[in-house]
Amino acid sequence: MAAGPAAVARPMNTPTDTTSYPTPYAASSATTHAPAGESWSTTPHAGWRLKGSGSTARFRGLAAVSRTTAWAAGTAGTVLRTHDGGKHWSNISPPGAGALEFRDIEALDARRAVVLAIGEGAASRVFRTDDAGATWTESFRNPDPRAFYDCLTFFDRRHGIALSDPVDGKYRILSTGDGGRSWRVLPSDGMPPAQQGEAAFAASGQCLVSSDSRDAWIATGGAATARVLHTADRGRTWSVTDTPLPAGDPARGVFALAVRDRSHALAVGGDYRADQPSPHAAAVSSDAGATWTPAAEPPKAYRSGAVWLPHSRRLALTVGPSGSDLTLDGGRTWHTFDNGSYDTVDCAPDLGCWAAGERGRIARLEP
């Protein structure tokens, strides 16, 4: 079968969304404040505050538009949207999508969004809405049983790309130039060969991220080395670099990337299995991902999502099933500030930061 590496490694299918994690969390806020004096956002005592979503879905797709507006996408074809800071959530799931697994959503603005469903063959689909989810249009259905799409990202409101696990030994890139209304597969000539068993993790919608108008990065795992790929031409050609994150097993690798600008990036991941340690599971780059330096004090456990705080050169957040961490020095050292379970995190320019995860958990960073 031609889908050898993707079929064997397929780490994005796991952890499955039926996994339960032993880490306890309070039903109301599950917040442990940052150490005294370590201020981030607008107050030294900011933390996650749960917003009742009314859903039991697991949300690995998240798009923060502002402190008031956010989109979340997850299991059972579920898409939620709030326009009042999480006081109320509207179930705007595409009709007939109940069997799909949404793992990434990109908001073009408060009313327009593109959502990705993962899976082999026709299970990988893309939907777009122009009216805040009142109606949806399916703009792509994967015709190739060897392909498995994991993440998508947009450079601007028109141009975006989506990532599939390797097909014929190379990652496959899907491209749009009309805001996700239509898609085409890019030629693979400029894509380096994948390692045996290598794939991407559809754990948080952050295995493919972009910066500025043409740059994007891919996070990989499941193979001998955890790598990061970079493009400066919207996916036509790519360079590849090894990272120091855990590797050598289908459950290990880089799970999420966060880019502050074209040069500065963070990588987080580890081993997603709850009974396995994840040392050295974070790294930083200051040269567009050409080289990576291990964090001097990484998070103490596997992390699946990461984001820079807006308008900051030093502050960033990372989340995972066992907690959330903050860095005050650009990713060199990390400090746990919350023990709640979250899979993904995103921030809007107005400092509206949101996190989402299992059992319908959605939270906003608040004083």
Side-chain angles (χ1 to χ4, degrees), residues 118-131:
I118 69 162
E120 296 178 343
S124 284
R125 305 182 194 182
V126 178
F127 297 81
R128 177 191 161 104
T129 182
D130 291 301
D131 52 16

Side-chain angles (χ1 to χ4, degrees), residues 2-360:
V8 173
R10 194 65 73 193
M12 69 299 303
N13 278 342
T14 52
T16 66
D17 286 319
T18 58
T19 303
S20 64
Y21 296 93
T23 304
Y25 54 82
S28 57
S29 65
T31 299
T32 302
H33 297 313
E38 292 186 351
S39 174
W40 81 96
S41 188
T42 59
T43 168
H45 299 297
W48 296 124
R49 298 293 187 272
L50 284 173
K51 307 293 182 178
S53 70
S55 174
T56 58
R58 186 166 197 166
F59 295 110
R60 295 182 184 270
L62 179 65
V65 177
S66 67
R67 285 188 57 80
T68 57
T69 302
W71 309 65
T75 55
T78 305
V79 179
L80 302 185
R81 179 181 178 274
T82 183
H83 62 85
D84 57 10
K87 294 179 182 177
H88 303 91
W89 293 88
S90 298
N91 188 330
I92 55 169
S93 305
L100 300 179
E101 291 279 334
F102 289 138
R103 295 291 182 94
D104 199 355
I105 187 166
E106 299 292 325
L108 305 180
D109 54 37
R111 295 182 59 80
R112 295 181 292 175
V114 179
V115 64
L116 171 72
I118 69 162
E120 296 178 343
S124 284
R125 305 182 194 182
V126 178
F127 297 81
R128 177 191 161 104
T129 182
D130 291 301
D131 52 16
T135 61
W136 293 87
T137 301
E138 182 182 307
S139 59
F140 174 76
R141 182 178 297 201
N142 174 33
D144 191 335
R146 302 171 300 167
F148 187 115
Y149 286 87
D150 303 295
C151 297
L152 73 154
T153 190
F154 275 81
F155 304 98
D156 52 41
R157 291 183 179 181
R158 294 179 54 208
H159 300 92
I161 56 175
L163 168 70
S164 166
D165 286 335
V167 176
D168 293 332
K170 292 184 177 182
Y171 288 98
R172 176 171 288 182
I173 301 297
L174 197 65
S175 176
T176 180
D178 56 12
R181 294 181 178 88
S182 64
W183 299 84
R184 67 184 182 93
V185 175
L186 294 181
S188 63
D189 298 352
M191 178 66 71
Q195 300 176 92
Q196 179 67 34
E198 190 179 31
F201 294 96
S204 61
Q206 295 174 328
C207 62
L208 174 66
V209 298
S210 58
S211 176
D212 300 322
S213 63
R214 306 185 71 84
D215 289 87
W217 292 261
I218 294 170
T220 80
T225 303
R227 307 194 300 171
V228 170
L229 285 73
H230 172 239
T231 180
D233 55 13
R234 293 181 182 162
R236 291 173 177 80
T237 60
W238 297 81
S239 58
V240 63
T241 304
D242 294 348
T243 78
L245 269 69
D249 186 278
R252 298 174 185 160
V254 182
F255 279 72
L257 297 167
V259 294
R260 191 184 80 203
D261 50 43
R262 189 185 182 280
S263 297
H264 297 86
L266 303 171
V268 300
D271 189 318
Y272 71 72
R273 294 171 294 192
D275 61 343
Q276 296 295 315
S278 289
H280 315 299
V284 299
S285 175
S286 59
D287 54 11
T291 60
W292 293 87
T293 302
E297 188 176 336
K300 294 179 173 58
Y302 154 73
R303 294 293 182 255
S304 56
V307 66
W308 291 90
L309 267 72
H311 319 301
S312 173
R313 299 178 61 85
R314 300 181 298 112
L315 310 185
L317 302 170
T318 185
V319 301
S322 64
S324 301
D325 306 280
L326 164 74
T327 179
L328 303 169
D329 55 16
R332 290 186 290 275
T333 62
W334 294 88
H335 312 277
T336 301
F337 71 92
D338 187 286
N339 66 355
S341 175
Y342 298 103
D343 293 310
T344 187
V345 60
D346 193 26
C347 290
D350 68 350
L351 294 177
C353 292
W354 299 79
E358 62 179 337
R359 306 177 202 171

